[in-house]
Amino acid sequence: MALDLSGLNPDQRAAVCATEGPLLVLAGAGSGKTRVITHRVVYLLERGVAPGNIVALSFTNKAADEMRERLMKMTSKAVADALVLGTFHSVGAAMMREQPDQFGVPKKFGILDQGDVYGLVRAVLRDLGLHGQGAERRFDLGAIVQRISLWKNDFVSPADAQGLYFETEYDEAAAAVYGPYEERLRALGAVDFDDLICRVATTLEENAEARAYWQGKFRYLMVDEYQDTNRAQLEVVRRLAGERENVCVVGDDDQAIYGWRGAKVANILGFDMYFKRAQTIKLEQNYRSYAPICRCANAVIRRNTSRHEKELVPQRRGGDKVTLVVAPDGDQEARWIGRTIYREIKERGTKPEDIAVLYRSAKQCDAIEALLQEHGLAYRILGGQAFYDKKQVKDALAYLKVMIAPKDDLATRRALDVPSRGVGLKTIEHLSEFARHRNLSLAEAIHRSDEIADIPSRAAAGLRSFSAAIKRAQAHFYSSGSAVAPLQGLLEGVGLREYVLKEAGSEAAAAARWDGVVWLLEALGRFEQRARAKGGHVRYNDFFQVMNASKDKDEGDEEDAARGKVTLSTLHSAKGLEWPLVLLIGCEEGIMPHKRVSAPRISDAIAGDIEEERRLFYVGITRARDRLYITRAATRLERGAEVPRKPSRFLDDLPEADIQVHDIARDERLGHDNIASMAEAFLANLAKGL
């Protein structure tokens, strides 16, 4: 069946049909960009382009899956599966697996997730004497990891980092960690997520054979959310595009809100500088929001100077004005929000999943969460760290893998490192070399470590202790047929709980962290019970796959996860989502925009700027389909004292004709006055009648 383009507007059709050469599609909020990308893919297929020659890159697995599902309905499962659809990271990993030698990785390289990276950085800090008792409170691991990630994506090598000007002790510590961290990655035969892009970009630049192969294979490139690309991602796109330059990027510079993690808005603003023959098509028709919401969004973002000139053209006429709510203080703001949501659901019949509360900083969520609980309303929170991403859970899971799946070298390396046993990088290299020459797993090499020369006595003792603990747990596992008790015994035997206590710094914090490990043991027990109830063998690989897929499942089942629940979300986490009713809260100076925009700048990527804050506010406004409330408080409690708050400067940009002000204190006072006047009038009339 031929592709039907009649449902597209003229600009959308133009973007679909302009297949040759570089194309920038500026897609405003709610303008139907995913529809354009999928139609463009089918348009190419109908003109004889092979599915394997088409690449569509996105930033989340959820977006890639949604695109694949749409294309499956428009073509077939076989065709959709043959297309190269995925994130920059997943496509980079696939390229490296296909040509490991070209990209300088082992055939079976490991990919470290965030928890693994934190573990390596922690170990390096400890080796450098920067992470001992109490030192973890001196250096936040996330800040170290972020700096290394930013350097990598700007192609700053460990040697280059040593020559940088250090503005803070974090810069100095990150530069010291960077080199040893990279050495540990090599020793493990592993890469981190940044390598999946940076290593690909470097190889495509330096290796002509690899570059020719991939340019020949990937003949048509499409990139979604292009405003979120960093320098390394830009270089991947440029080097894959080659002289053909059949690259279509879709994005909106007005929604570029990730500068703090390395995204370069300059990539989309300067697209025609990198691709000289570039054509630009603007998608300005907004199909999401009512006109007052669109006009408010346009008025706010128009104040930014670094942007492509465009505006949202609302296709939905009518609609309520945007309501600006002014509360006397933060407590009354939160209570008004709680009451409003309760009335919407209980009195107006609004579905909970159609309501979202959006805020600049995660800590703003606490008061709203408490009030929703008080009203008995279900909710979900977007953002934050899931339990299966927490370090102690990943550590326990690594021990489980070593016990029942000992060929997993990455799990063995992680378990060996926590708690510390005095096993340094040189010892790991000796073990890895011994294992390679004898075709052994790392765990098997550890069990035979007495055969390896040049291992220091402290490390040798640590390896013997580790080996004995694993063998005891395995014997218990094989005799009992269950992994729960053996794993619990193993974790106690190696002192993992004591290690967690030391890392946490207090009994209360340690107990909270250990709850995740208890959950893992309980989940493992339930998994075994279900398998036995079905009369089959317990397949522990299925359990590992479930654990690995948990996060993707949470992200993928967006509709199921949201059903019957109000959404509480940071503005960053809300990007790409929409709701009929949105409450954008805490719109005051120091909150929205964030106080850091007036603080001394560390760097553009870390400190951010006022234009990015304005884009973040714009993103918040454009999440609303039908109704939008924007709230602020006149005072807030800070360190026990009521402190006056200035309204956000962004509120000054809202057009008066499209907003209505609801002053909680004034309106409630007027409400009481009206009731009193009505009562007086009633009594007066009653007296006249008498």
Side-chain angles (χ1 to χ4, degrees):
M1 185 173 69
L3 179 65
D4 181 11
L5 299 179
S6 63
L8 304 180
N9 66 44
D11 293 326
Q12 290 173 330
R13 280 197 298 275
V16 167
C17 299
T19 59
E20 305 304 309
L23 173 66
L24 168 61
V25 179
L26 293 170
S31 62
K33 65 182 177 65
T34 305
R35 197 174 185 204
V36 167
I37 294 172
T38 53
H39 278 67
R40 184 183 170 88
V41 170
V42 178
Y43 188 82
L44 286 168
L45 291 170
E46 289 190 349
R47 272 140 193 81
V49 180
N53 293 147
I54 301 173
V55 184
L57 298 170
S58 62
F59 275 81
T60 65
N61 290 322
K62 178 188 169 189
D65 291 343
E66 180 185 341
M67 200 180 300
R68 193 179 298 278
E69 283 180 21
R70 290 198 193 190
L71 286 165
M72 202 178 298
K73 293 174 183 176
M74 297 173 73
T75 57
S76 68
K77 186 178 187 303
V79 170
D81 287 343
L83 295 163
V84 183
L85 307 178
T87 64
F88 275 92
H89 296 97
S90 65
V91 172
M95 293 169 68
M96 290 166 67
R97 289 193 184 101
E98 185 172 333
Q99 291 189 329
D101 292 339
Q102 298 278 31
F103 291 103
V105 294
K107 288 184 179 179
K108 293 185 178 179
F109 63 91
I111 301 174
L112 274 63
D113 62 15
Q114 187 182 56
D116 298 324
V117 168
Y118 275 44
L120 278 191
V121 169
R122 184 183 289 104
V124 173
L125 283 169
R126 190 162 51 233
D127 289 350
L128 294 173
L130 299 173
H131 193 275
Q133 182 67 34
E136 63 273 12
R137 287 185 286 277
R138 178 183 171 196
F139 289 114
D140 174 68
L141 293 177
I144 300 289
V145 170
Q146 183 193 37
R147 281 165 171 77
I148 293 174
S149 176
L150 291 171
W151 286 335
K152 273 195 169 188
N153 283 284
D154 275 336
F155 302 105
V156 176
S157 70
D160 294 336
Q162 292 291 339
L164 296 175
Y165 171 70
F166 301 140
E167 295 189 9
T168 70
E169 64 174 352
Y170 271 99
D171 297 331
E172 188 174 358
V177 167
Y178 192 2
Y181 167 75
E182 289 292 288
E183 290 175 13
R184 285 176 181 250
L185 282 179
R186 283 192 292 273
L188 283 171
V191 297
D192 60 23
F193 265 50
D194 293 319
D195 288 326
L196 298 176
I197 299 170
C198 302
R199 193 180 287 253
V200 168
T202 302
T203 300
L204 292 176
E205 173 68 15
E206 298 175 352
N207 189 320
E209 183 182 346
R211 183 168 63 249
Y213 173 80
W214 291 105
Q215 286 178 355
K217 186 169 184 176
F218 295 161
R219 302 177 68 85
Y220 289 87
L221 275 73
M222 276 167 277
V223 184
D224 191 15
E225 302 288 3
Y226 187 69
Q227 76 280 351
D228 295 335
T229 54
N230 59 28
R231 182 183 169 190
Q233 288 160 336
L234 167 65
E235 294 306 323
V236 168
V237 171
R238 290 179 66 191
R239 293 164 192 178
L240 284 176
E243 293 182 2
R244 233 185 269 110
E245 291 191 335
N246 287 336
V247 54
C248 168
V249 302
V250 183
D252 182 8
D253 47 294
D254 290 335
Q255 297 185 69
I257 59 173
Y258 295 115
W260 53 276
R261 69 182 188 194
K264 308 287 188 186
V265 69
N267 291 355
I268 192 168
L269 293 176
F271 184 75
D272 57 352
M273 293 173 56
Y274 300 111
F275 298 93
K276 303 294 184 185
R277 299 182 292 122
Q279 175 185 359
T280 300
I281 295 175
K282 299 178 183 179
L283 305 182
E284 297 178 290
Q285 295 187 41
N286 177 284
Y287 299 95
R288 175 187 298 163
S289 306
Y290 277 124
I293 296 171
C294 288
R295 287 194 291 264
C296 284
N298 288 333
V300 166
I301 204 63
R302 200 177 290 131
R303 292 291 301 275
N304 273 5
T305 56
S306 299
R307 63 185 293 265
H308 289 286
E309 192 63 37
K310 59 189 178 304
E311 66 176 36
L312 302 178
V313 180
Q315 302 303 296
R316 299 178 68 198
R317 305 300 175 188
D320 295 337
K321 290 183 177 183
V322 172
T323 302
L324 177 59
V325 179
V326 183
D329 54 47
D331 180 63
Q332 292 192 60
E333 177 197 42
R335 293 196 173 281
W336 180 88
I337 292 166
R339 287 197 307 271
T340 299
I341 293 173
Y342 181 83
R343 288 169 182 164
E344 282 288 334
I345 295 171
K346 301 300 183 182
E347 297 175 13
R348 297 187 60 162
T350 304
K351 294 178 181 177
E353 59 265 33
D354 287 344
I355 303 173
V357 180
L358 308 182
Y359 35 83
R360 177 63 181 84
S361 301
K363 63 183 180 181
Q364 292 174 259
C365 166
D366 294 345
I368 310 303
E369 187 179 357
L371 281 161
L372 292 181
Q373 289 174 343
E374 186 180 306
H375 286 296
L377 300 174
Y379 60 91
R380 62 167 182 157
I381 300 175
L382 298 187
Q385 188 182 36
F387 87 91
Y388 31 72
D389 278 338
K390 293 179 179 176
K391 179 185 179 299
Q392 58 277 8
V393 175
K394 285 185 172 291
D395 292 339
L397 192 61
Y399 274 100
L400 174 62
K401 288 181 178 179
V402 177
M403 186 177 78
I404 63 181
K407 292 190 181 297
D408 189 326
D409 288 353
L410 199 58
T412 302
R413 179 65 185 88
R414 183 180 188 119
L416 187 63
D417 196 48
V418 181
S420 176
R421 296 177 171 83
V423 179
L425 184 58
K426 287 293 182 186
T427 299
I428 294 294
E429 289 175 350
H430 289 316
L431 288 166
S432 299
E433 190 72 15
F434 182 84
R436 253 192 317 270
H437 287 158
R438 291 161 180 78
N439 197 27
L440 303 174
S441 68
L442 182 60
E444 290 170 320
I446 291 171
H447 293 318
R448 294 172 57 179
S449 60
D450 288 341
E451 301 175 30
I452 306 173
D454 300 326
I455 292 183
S457 57
R458 182 172 175 235
L463 292 172
R464 284 194 295 271
S465 172
F466 181 80
S467 173
I470 297 299
K471 286 180 177 179
R472 281 194 302 272
Q474 287 174 330
H476 188 182
F477 168 60
Y478 294 134
S479 64
S480 67
S482 168
V484 179
L487 176 61
Q488 190 168 6
L490 175 60
L491 299 180
E492 291 174 359
V494 299
L496 187 64
R497 187 164 193 168
E498 288 77 10
Y499 170 79
V500 170
L501 173 60
K502 183 179 177 182
E503 289 285 297
S506 73
E507 287 279 0
R513 293 184 185 185
W514 194 253
D515 282 346
V517 178
V518 173
W519 186 98
L520 177 67
L521 291 165
E522 292 173 349
L524 180 61
R526 290 192 296 270
F527 175 81
E528 290 181 341
Q529 286 176 355
R530 283 196 300 270
R532 294 192 183 99
K534 294 176 181 177
H537 295 292
V538 181
R539 296 169 56 88
Y540 290 98
N541 275 339
D542 291 344
F543 180 74
F544 297 140
Q545 288 172 7
V546 168
M547 291 297 293
N548 289 335
S550 291
K551 189 172 184 182
D552 287 340
K553 182 175 185 296
D554 284 350
E555 292 174 350
D557 294 346
E558 173 73 29
E559 206 171 302
D560 290 340
R563 190 169 289 117
K565 298 174 185 174
V566 175
T567 297
L568 309 181
S569 175
T570 62
L571 288 164
H572 287 100
S573 297
K575 186 170 173 285
L577 303 175
E578 58 185 71
W579 296 268
L581 172 59
V582 167
L583 298 101
L584 179 52
I585 71 171
C587 294
E588 302 142 27
E589 289 292 308
I591 299 178
M592 180 78 261
H594 196 276
K595 61 184 178 183
R596 71 181 178 190
V597 299
S598 58
R601 296 165 68 85
I602 300 171
S603 73
D604 285 344
I606 296 173
D609 58 32
I610 195 65
E611 292 216 343
E612 181 156 320
E613 291 292 300
R614 187 177 282 109
R615 292 193 290 267
L616 196 57
F617 187 60
Y618 171 85
V619 165
I621 291 174
T622 55
R623 298 313 92 197
R625 292 208 298 261
D626 302 339
R627 287 182 291 150
L628 172 64
Y629 292 94
I630 299 175
T631 75
R632 72 172 182 87
T635 65
R636 288 195 188 273
L637 195 63
E638 295 180 14
R639 298 178 183 177
E642 287 288 344
V643 178
R645 306 290 305 187
K646 288 184 179 179
S648 168
R649 69 192 76 180
F650 303 148
L651 300 181
D652 294 337
D653 301 327
L654 299 175
E656 289 187 12
D658 290 305
I659 63 170
Q660 55 188 1
V661 179
H662 172 51
D663 186 320
I664 294 175
R666 184 195 64 194
D667 291 351
E668 286 184 355
R669 185 175 64 252
L670 290 175
H672 287 304
D673 291 344
N674 288 340
I675 291 171
S677 299
M678 289 170 63
E680 289 174 5
F682 173 77
L683 291 174
N685 289 332
L686 184 63
K688 288 178 183 177
L690 291 174

